[in-house]
Amino acid sequence: MSIGAPGKAPDPTPTDVLATRSTAELIGSGQEGTVMDQARAYLQRVRHGEMGALPAIGGFIVLSVMFTILSPFFLTERNFANLLTQAATLVMLGMALVFVILLGEIDLSAGVTSGLTMCIFVVLVNVNGFNWIVALLIALLTGVAIGSFIGFFVARVGIPSFVVTLGLFLGFQGLELIIIGSGGLYRVQTPEILSIMNSNLPIWAGWAMLAVILAVSLTTSLWDRARRTRAGVPNRTIALVWIKLGVILVIGGIVVGLLSNDRGTGFKPVSGVPIVVPITLAILWAGTFVLDRTKFGRYIYAVGGNAEAARRAGVKVVLIRWTAFIVCSTLAVVSGLFSISKVGSVDAAAGRDIVLSGVAAAVVGGVSLFGGRGRLLHAAIGALVIAVITNGLGLLNLPAGVNYVVTGGVLILAATVDAVSRVRAGGSLTRR
């Protein structure tokens, strides 16, 4: 069995893990041949329960069609831009949680970590007169410190992550009250922060962003092929690279084209891709690169699939777990930054209610709660599904309670699909 493809090898043996030590930086499906061979192999994996983000993509399409029929405002340029900005915070938090969920762990404090660090940020800027860049660096370092704290107790001491992060979930709410004050609220006064969610790129910059995405995707694909060739490993057909670029070009062109239209309601035109979009895509690409093309990323999948096998193969399981919590808490700070940019203020309840939605985004997108399977892109797709539910039900003027009921139902359905697919793939529902 190869561990060359994420999300396709949930239970590596020690031999598998050892194999990754020499080919960990390579990426490929392990299934070579023509395009039709690849398609048949993919269908075979789906039939055996390895569906990845396929259910979430289907749900996204079905929900989008349904809300388009029910509301004339859903499929408009203005609502599409709103949907992207509404989803950005959840996308970032979901991606943060993927790093620990892949290990079969959980971080219930990720939401309040984002809130606490933003409390520190806004107080440093508004009260103590810090430069916003310095304050942001302090907030990010605070996230690193929190992740290190969690990682120490989970990976080194051996306390279950649920217990450690639940304690921090409660404790950080108290720290937020102490920093901000009961009933207190600070406005975000930094234009650069506010512009992340509330300003747009020039129209030409949106098309330039699409060109950069295509160039980076092509370069990365050719680089992967060159490394596999040097290592003596067969490559998949080059046609798959052109198909992927064609899909990116078509979908990206439609998105940028829609967002380039004027969606303002007043005299001032509003057009262009929201600034938060390229920031999110850049972090998504960097995180995916780390998980797919570095030994650290491959070891995360190995530890999540079978920690004991990974340990016997010489993987430093404690260090991998420790680092994953640091990455999670640091990315949670970025999600908090997106949140305060959209809301425009920070209060003592910041980040309190979002963590379970972040977990839901990852699971709905296809990240396995049992560890070892999933990708950052899956969490992003899951966050978009949840955002579509919230956005669509809001347009229909349904009560907020309906939103929670529908989102909870989708989460249970996604967890059930994950469990069933794992059993069909020959995996286990218990940790090893």
Side-chain angles (χ1 to χ4, degrees):
M1 180 181 65
S2 170
I3 307 184
K8 298 169 185 172
D11 300 313
T13 66
T15 303
D16 299 324
V17 179
L18 280 172
T20 68
R21 304 189 71 178
S22 59
T23 60
E25 68 277 9
L26 299 178
I27 182 171
S29 67
Q31 175 65 44
E32 318 306 333
T34 64
V35 173
M36 290 306 299
D37 292 334
Q38 294 288 334
R40 281 192 288 268
Y42 175 75
L43 292 176
Q44 186 72 15
R45 291 196 298 271
V46 170
R47 281 196 291 268
H48 283 82
E50 297 181 15
M51 290 182 284
L54 191 60
I57 294 173
F60 179 81
I61 294 173
V62 170
L63 288 169
S64 297
V65 171
M66 184 181 72
F67 287 128
T68 299
I69 295 172
L70 296 176
S71 172
F73 304 106
F74 182 80
L75 196 61
T76 60
E77 294 91 345
R78 186 180 184 189
N79 189 55
F80 186 59
N82 287 339
L83 182 63
L84 292 179
T85 54
Q86 284 178 350
T89 301
L90 197 56
V91 167
M92 189 54 57
L93 188 63
M95 291 197 299
L97 289 164
V98 166
F99 283 88
V100 294
I101 294 176
L102 282 176
L103 297 172
E105 305 285 356
I106 194 70
D107 184 356
L108 295 177
S109 66
V112 287
T113 293
S114 69
L116 175 64
T117 52
M118 288 305 101
C119 289
I120 294 173
F121 169 81
V122 76
V123 168
L124 288 176
V125 173
N126 290 18
V127 178
N128 298 301
F130 276 54
N131 177 278
W132 71 271
I133 296 177
V134 176
L136 181 57
L137 287 174
I138 293 174
L140 288 168
L141 289 174
T142 304
V144 172
I146 292 171
S148 301
F149 181 85
I150 299 171
F152 173 78
F153 282 98
V154 174
R156 178 66 69 182
V157 180
I159 301 175
S161 57
F162 179 86
V163 177
V164 175
T165 57
L166 178 60
L168 293 181
F169 173 75
L170 299 173
F172 285 170
Q173 293 181 47
L175 289 179
E176 289 186 64
L177 280 171
I178 293 171
I179 294 173
I180 299 293
S182 180
L185 183 144
Y186 286 94
R187 291 184 58 189
V188 178
Q189 300 174 343
T190 307
E192 290 83 355
I193 299 299
L194 293 172
S195 66
I196 293 174
M197 284 290 207
N198 300 291
S199 298
N200 305 297
L201 297 173
I203 292 177
W204 65 266
W207 293 108
M209 178 192 73
L210 178 58
V212 170
I213 292 173
L214 289 169
V216 170
S217 180
L218 175 60
T219 303
T220 305
S221 296
L222 295 180
W223 184 52
D224 288 336
R225 296 177 66 85
R227 288 187 304 153
R228 290 177 65 85
T229 300
R230 285 197 298 271
V233 181
N235 274 304
R236 290 177 291 185
T237 172
I238 190 68
L240 289 176
V241 175
W242 307 126
I243 291 173
K244 182 176 74 171
L245 292 177
V247 171
I248 294 174
L249 178 62
V250 171
I251 296 178
I254 292 173
V255 171
V256 175
L258 281 174
L259 295 175
S260 296
N261 295 327
D262 180 16
R263 54 182 182 272
T265 56
F267 295 105
K268 184 178 179 181
V270 177
S271 59
V273 177
I275 290 176
V276 71
V277 173
I279 297 175
T280 304
L281 290 178
I283 295 175
L284 172 62
W285 180 85
T288 301
F289 187 93
V290 169
L291 286 178
D292 287 355
R293 296 173 176 82
T294 67
K295 289 184 178 179
F296 168 71
R298 307 312 304 154
Y299 288 168
I300 281 187
Y301 285 104
V303 173
N306 193 324
E308 180 58 24
R311 186 189 65 77
R312 292 178 183 175
V315 176
K316 297 178 179 177
V317 176
V318 171
L319 181 62
I320 295 298
R321 280 183 168 156
W322 204 331
T323 308
F325 278 102
I326 293 174
V327 174
C328 176
S329 296
T330 306
L331 290 180
V333 177
V334 181
S335 77
L337 191 67
F338 287 178
S339 178
I340 67 168
S341 174
K342 184 171 182 58
V343 177
S345 62
V346 182
D347 60 28
R352 188 176 298 178
D353 302 324
I354 194 173
V355 66
L356 294 182
S357 296
V359 175
V363 176
V364 169
V367 180
S368 175
L369 279 173
F370 303 100
R373 294 199 308 185
R375 309 190 71 185
L376 292 187
L377 182 61
H378 295 171
I381 295 172
L384 284 173
V385 171
I386 293 177
V388 164
I389 294 173
T390 304
N391 181 280
L393 293 179
L395 290 175
L396 297 178
N397 291 321
L398 293 177
V402 177
N403 182 17
Y404 286 111
V405 171
V406 174
T407 304
V410 171
L411 175 60
I412 292 173
L413 179 62
T416 304
V417 170
D418 173 35
V420 172
S421 65
R422 191 177 182 87
V423 171
R424 290 189 61 185
S428 170
L429 298 184
T430 58
R431 296 282 314 280
R432 296 183 182 182

PDB file of all heavy atoms in Angstrom, residues 41-62:
ATOM      1  N   ALA A  41     -10.253   3.823 -11.867  1.00  0.00           N
ATOM      2  CA  ALA A  41      -9.677   3.655 -10.530  1.00  0.00           C
ATOM      3  C   ALA A  41     -10.410   4.518  -9.510  1.00  0.00           C
ATOM      4  O   ALA A  41     -10.655   4.094  -8.372  1.00  0.00           O
ATOM      5  CB  ALA A  41      -8.196   4.011 -10.558  1.00  0.00           C
ATOM      6  N   TYR A  42     -10.784   5.750  -9.935  1.00  0.00           N
ATOM      7  CA  TYR A  42     -11.514   6.642  -9.015  1.00  0.00           C
ATOM      8  C   TYR A  42     -12.891   6.059  -8.672  1.00  0.00           C
ATOM      9  O   TYR A  42     -13.292   6.045  -7.501  1.00  0.00           O
ATOM     10  CB  TYR A  42     -11.675   8.016  -9.663  1.00  0.00           C
ATOM     11  CG  TYR A  42     -12.506   8.965  -8.840  1.00  0.00           C
ATOM     12  CD1 TYR A  42     -11.978   9.556  -7.690  1.00  0.00           C
ATOM     13  CD2 TYR A  42     -13.832   9.250  -9.181  1.00  0.00           C
ATOM     14  CE1 TYR A  42     -12.742  10.409  -6.908  1.00  0.00           C
ATOM     15  CE2 TYR A  42     -14.597  10.106  -8.416  1.00  0.00           C
ATOM     16  CZ  TYR A  42     -14.049  10.682  -7.285  1.00  0.00           C
ATOM     17  OH  TYR A  42     -14.819  11.524  -6.512  1.00  0.00           O
ATOM     18  N   LEU A  43     -13.597   5.567  -9.700  1.00  0.00           N
ATOM     19  CA  LEU A  43     -14.909   4.968  -9.443  1.00  0.00           C
ATOM     20  C   LEU A  43     -14.785   3.747  -8.542  1.00  0.00           C
ATOM     21  O   LEU A  43     -15.652   3.495  -7.704  1.00  0.00           O
ATOM     22  CB  LEU A  43     -15.573   4.602 -10.777  1.00  0.00           C
ATOM     23  CG  LEU A  43     -15.984   5.771 -11.660  1.00  0.00           C
ATOM     24  CD1 LEU A  43     -16.531   5.278 -13.003  1.00  0.00           C
ATOM     25  CD2 LEU A  43     -17.031   6.648 -10.958  1.00  0.00           C
ATOM     26  N   GLN A  44     -13.700   3.005  -8.721  1.00  0.00           N
ATOM     27  CA  GLN A  44     -13.485   1.834  -7.870  1.00  0.00           C
ATOM     28  C   GLN A  44     -13.298   2.253  -6.414  1.00  0.00           C
ATOM     29  O   GLN A  44     -13.838   1.621  -5.495  1.00  0.00           O
ATOM     30  CB  GLN A  44     -12.243   1.077  -8.365  1.00  0.00           C
ATOM     31  CG  GLN A  44     -11.987  -0.244  -7.666  1.00  0.00           C
ATOM     32  CD  GLN A  44     -12.989  -1.323  -8.050  1.00  0.00           C
ATOM     33  OE1 GLN A  44     -13.709  -1.175  -9.038  1.00  0.00           O
ATOM     34  NE2 GLN A  44     -13.063  -2.369  -7.254  1.00  0.00           N
ATOM     35  N   ARG A  45     -12.547   3.358  -6.216  1.00  0.00           N
ATOM     36  CA  ARG A  45     -12.338   3.844  -4.842  1.00  0.00           C
ATOM     37  C   ARG A  45     -13.647   4.339  -4.234  1.00  0.00           C
ATOM     38  O   ARG A  45     -13.915   4.127  -3.047  1.00  0.00           O
ATOM     39  CB  ARG A  45     -11.289   4.963  -4.835  1.00  0.00           C
ATOM     40  CG  ARG A  45      -9.873   4.493  -5.159  1.00  0.00           C
ATOM     41  CD  ARG A  45      -8.850   5.549  -4.749  1.00  0.00           C
ATOM     42  NE  ARG A  45      -9.023   6.803  -5.467  1.00  0.00           N
ATOM     43  CZ  ARG A  45      -8.444   7.078  -6.629  1.00  0.00           C
ATOM     44  NH1 ARG A  45      -7.657   6.184  -7.202  1.00  0.00           N
ATOM     45  NH2 ARG A  45      -8.634   8.240  -7.221  1.00  0.00           N
ATOM     46  N   VAL A  46     -14.466   4.993  -5.052  1.00  0.00           N
ATOM     47  CA  VAL A  46     -15.762   5.475  -4.554  1.00  0.00           C
ATOM     48  C   VAL A  46     -16.644   4.304  -4.142  1.00  0.00           C
ATOM     49  O   VAL A  46     -17.300   4.339  -3.099  1.00  0.00           O
ATOM     50  CB  VAL A  46     -16.461   6.339  -5.632  1.00  0.00           C
ATOM     51  CG1 VAL A  46     -17.908   6.636  -5.224  1.00  0.00           C
ATOM     52  CG2 VAL A  46     -15.701   7.640  -5.849  1.00  0.00           C
ATOM     53  N   ARG A  47     -16.640   3.245  -4.966  1.00  0.00           N
ATOM     54  CA  ARG A  47     -17.458   2.071  -4.636  1.00  0.00           C
ATOM     55  C   ARG A  47     -16.989   1.400  -3.355  1.00  0.00           C
ATOM     56  O   ARG A  47     -17.775   0.769  -2.644  1.00  0.00           O
ATOM     57  CB  ARG A  47     -17.431   1.058  -5.790  1.00  0.00           C
ATOM     58  CG  ARG A  47     -18.348   1.409  -6.932  1.00  0.00           C
ATOM     59  CD  ARG A  47     -18.569   0.208  -7.836  1.00  0.00           C
ATOM     60  NE  ARG A  47     -17.367  -0.141  -8.568  1.00  0.00           N
ATOM     61  CZ  ARG A  47     -17.063   0.325  -9.776  1.00  0.00           C
ATOM     62  NH1 ARG A  47     -17.900   1.164 -10.381  1.00  0.00           N
ATOM     63  NH2 ARG A  47     -15.960  -0.043 -10.383  1.00  0.00           N
ATOM     64  N   HIS A  48     -15.723   1.577  -3.026  1.00  0.00           N
ATOM     65  CA  HIS A  48     -15.199   0.982  -1.796  1.00  0.00           C
ATOM     66  C   HIS A  48     -15.281   1.958  -0.615  1.00  0.00           C
ATOM     67  O   HIS A  48     -14.699   1.703   0.439  1.00  0.00           O
ATOM     68  CB  HIS A  48     -13.755   0.534  -1.997  1.00  0.00           C
ATOM     69  CG  HIS A  48     -13.642  -0.745  -2.773  1.00  0.00           C
ATOM     70  ND1 HIS A  48     -13.689  -0.783  -4.150  1.00  0.00           N
ATOM     71  CD2 HIS A  48     -13.517  -2.040  -2.365  1.00  0.00           C
ATOM     72  CE1 HIS A  48     -13.577  -2.038  -4.553  1.00  0.00           C
ATOM     73  NE2 HIS A  48     -13.481  -2.828  -3.497  1.00  0.00           N
ATOM     74  N   GLY A  49     -15.966   3.064  -0.817  1.00  0.00           N
ATOM     75  CA  GLY A  49     -16.233   3.964   0.300  1.00  0.00           C
ATOM     76  C   GLY A  49     -15.314   5.151   0.414  1.00  0.00           C
ATOM     77  O   GLY A  49     -15.491   5.970   1.309  1.00  0.00           O
ATOM     78  N   GLU A  50     -14.330   5.312  -0.456  1.00  0.00           N
ATOM     79  CA  GLU A  50     -13.415   6.445  -0.377  1.00  0.00           C
ATOM     80  C   GLU A  50     -13.970   7.587  -1.230  1.00  0.00           C
ATOM     81  O   GLU A  50     -13.523   7.840  -2.347  1.00  0.00           O
ATOM     82  CB  GLU A  50     -12.021   6.028  -0.855  1.00  0.00           C
ATOM     83  CG  GLU A  50     -11.393   4.945   0.010  1.00  0.00           C
ATOM     84  CD  GLU A  50     -10.003   4.554  -0.474  1.00  0.00           C
ATOM     85  OE1 GLU A  50      -9.430   5.303  -1.289  1.00  0.00           O
ATOM     86  OE2 GLU A  50      -9.507   3.522  -0.035  1.00  0.00           O
ATOM     87  N   MET A  51     -14.948   8.293  -0.676  1.00  0.00           N
ATOM     88  CA  MET A  51     -15.666   9.297  -1.458  1.00  0.00           C
ATOM     89  C   MET A  51     -15.093  10.692  -1.324  1.00  0.00           C
ATOM     90  O   MET A  51     -15.421  11.586  -2.104  1.00  0.00           O
ATOM     91  CB  MET A  51     -17.142   9.290  -1.044  1.00  0.00           C
ATOM     92  CG  MET A  51     -17.872   8.041  -1.489  1.00  0.00           C
ATOM     93  SD  MET A  51     -19.614   8.031  -1.061  1.00  0.00           S
ATOM     94  CE  MET A  51     -19.495   7.662   0.673  1.00  0.00           C
ATOM     95  N   GLY A  52     -14.243  10.933  -0.326  1.00  0.00           N
ATOM     96  CA  GLY A  52     -13.639  12.251  -0.169  1.00  0.00           C
ATOM     97  C   GLY A  52     -14.694  13.332  -0.036  1.00  0.00           C
ATOM     98  O   GLY A  52     -15.634  13.232   0.765  1.00  0.00           O
ATOM     99  N   ALA A  53     -14.571  14.376  -0.858  1.00  0.00           N
ATOM    100  CA  ALA A  53     -15.487  15.514  -0.773  1.00  0.00           C
ATOM    101  C   ALA A  53     -16.679  15.361  -1.707  1.00  0.00           C
ATOM    102  O   ALA A  53     -17.459  16.312  -1.849  1.00  0.00           O
ATOM    103  CB  ALA A  53     -14.739  16.811  -1.084  1.00  0.00           C
ATOM    104  N   LEU A  54     -16.820  14.202  -2.337  1.00  0.00           N
ATOM    105  CA  LEU A  54     -17.892  14.027  -3.324  1.00  0.00           C
ATOM    106  C   LEU A  54     -19.282  14.298  -2.739  1.00  0.00           C
ATOM    107  O   LEU A  54     -20.079  15.024  -3.360  1.00  0.00           O
ATOM    108  CB  LEU A  54     -17.817  12.617  -3.918  1.00  0.00           C
ATOM    109  CG  LEU A  54     -18.682  12.356  -5.146  1.00  0.00           C
ATOM    110  CD1 LEU A  54     -18.302  13.298  -6.287  1.00  0.00           C
ATOM    111  CD2 LEU A  54     -18.552  10.904  -5.593  1.00  0.00           C
ATOM    112  N   PRO A  55     -19.642  13.755  -1.548  1.00  0.00           N
ATOM    113  CA  PRO A  55     -20.966  14.074  -0.989  1.00  0.00           C
ATOM    114  C   PRO A  55     -21.152  15.565  -0.718  1.00  0.00           C
ATOM    115  O   PRO A  55     -22.238  16.104  -0.942  1.00  0.00           O
ATOM    116  CB  PRO A  55     -20.992  13.263   0.318  1.00  0.00           C
ATOM    117  CG  PRO A  55     -20.005  12.169   0.119  1.00  0.00           C
ATOM    118  CD  PRO A  55     -18.920  12.767  -0.718  1.00  0.00           C
ATOM    119  N   ALA A  56     -20.090  16.245  -0.253  1.00  0.00           N
ATOM    120  CA  ALA A  56     -20.207  17.680   0.029  1.00  0.00           C
ATOM    121  C   ALA A  56     -20.401  18.472  -1.252  1.00  0.00           C
ATOM    122  O   ALA A  56     -21.206  19.423  -1.290  1.00  0.00           O
ATOM    123  CB  ALA A  56     -18.957  18.163   0.765  1.00  0.00           C
ATOM    124  N   ILE A  57     -19.692  18.080  -2.311  1.00  0.00           N
ATOM    125  CA  ILE A  57     -19.859  18.781  -3.591  1.00  0.00           C
ATOM    126  C   ILE A  57     -21.277  18.578  -4.112  1.00  0.00           C
ATOM    127  O   ILE A  57     -21.921  19.522  -4.588  1.00  0.00           O
ATOM    128  CB  ILE A  57     -18.819  18.260  -4.607  1.00  0.00           C
ATOM    129  CG1 ILE A  57     -17.400  18.643  -4.153  1.00  0.00           C
ATOM    130  CG2 ILE A  57     -19.092  18.807  -6.001  1.00  0.00           C
ATOM    131  CD1 ILE A  57     -16.305  18.037  -4.996  1.00  0.00           C
ATOM    132  N   GLY A  58     -21.774  17.340  -4.001  1.00  0.00           N
ATOM    133  CA  GLY A  58     -23.153  17.083  -4.414  1.00  0.00           C
ATOM    134  C   GLY A  58     -24.146  17.896  -3.600  1.00  0.00           C
ATOM    135  O   GLY A  58     -25.092  18.473  -4.152  1.00  0.00           O
ATOM    136  N   GLY A  59     -23.923  17.959  -2.283  1.00  0.00           N
ATOM    137  CA  GLY A  59     -24.808  18.755  -1.429  1.00  0.00           C
ATOM    138  C   GLY A  59     -24.754  20.234  -1.771  1.00  0.00           C
ATOM    139  O   GLY A  59     -25.791  20.913  -1.775  1.00  0.00           O
ATOM    140  N   PHE A  60     -23.560  20.727  -2.077  1.00  0.00           N
ATOM    141  CA  PHE A  60     -23.417  22.139  -2.444  1.00  0.00           C
ATOM    142  C   PHE A  60     -24.218  22.450  -3.715  1.00  0.00           C
ATOM    143  O   PHE A  60     -24.928  23.464  -3.785  1.00  0.00           O
ATOM    144  CB  PHE A  60     -21.934  22.463  -2.658  1.00  0.00           C
ATOM    145  CG  PHE A  60     -21.662  23.878  -3.056  1.00  0.00           C
ATOM    146  CD1 PHE A  60     -21.616  24.890  -2.100  1.00  0.00           C
ATOM    147  CD2 PHE A  60     -21.456  24.210  -4.385  1.00  0.00           C
ATOM    148  CE1 PHE A  60     -21.371  26.200  -2.469  1.00  0.00           C
ATOM    149  CE2 PHE A  60     -21.200  25.519  -4.764  1.00  0.00           C
ATOM    150  CZ  PHE A  60     -21.158  26.513  -3.805  1.00  0.00           C
ATOM    151  N   ILE A  61     -24.114  21.558  -4.698  1.00  0.00           N
ATOM    152  CA  ILE A  61     -24.838  21.787  -5.961  1.00  0.00           C
ATOM    153  C   ILE A  61     -26.348  21.723  -5.736  1.00  0.00           C
ATOM    154  O   ILE A  61     -27.106  22.589  -6.201  1.00  0.00           O
ATOM    155  CB  ILE A  61     -24.397  20.744  -7.011  1.00  0.00           C
ATOM    156  CG1 ILE A  61     -22.920  20.964  -7.371  1.00  0.00           C
ATOM    157  CG2 ILE A  61     -25.267  20.828  -8.259  1.00  0.00           C
ATOM    158  CD1 ILE A  61     -22.340  19.882  -8.268  1.00  0.00           C
ATOM    159  N   VAL A  62     -26.796  20.703  -4.993  1.00  0.00           N
ATOM    160  CA  VAL A  62     -28.233  20.547  -4.749  1.00  0.00           C
ATOM    161  C   VAL A  62     -28.794  21.751  -3.986  1.00  0.00           C
ATOM    162  O   VAL A  62     -29.842  22.311  -4.340  1.00  0.00           O
ATOM    163  CB  VAL A  62     -28.505  19.246  -3.967  1.00  0.00           C
ATOM    164  CG1 VAL A  62     -29.961  19.187  -3.496  1.00  0.00           C
ATOM    165  CG2 VAL A  62     -28.195  18.037  -4.835  1.00  0.00           C
TER     166      VAL A  62
END
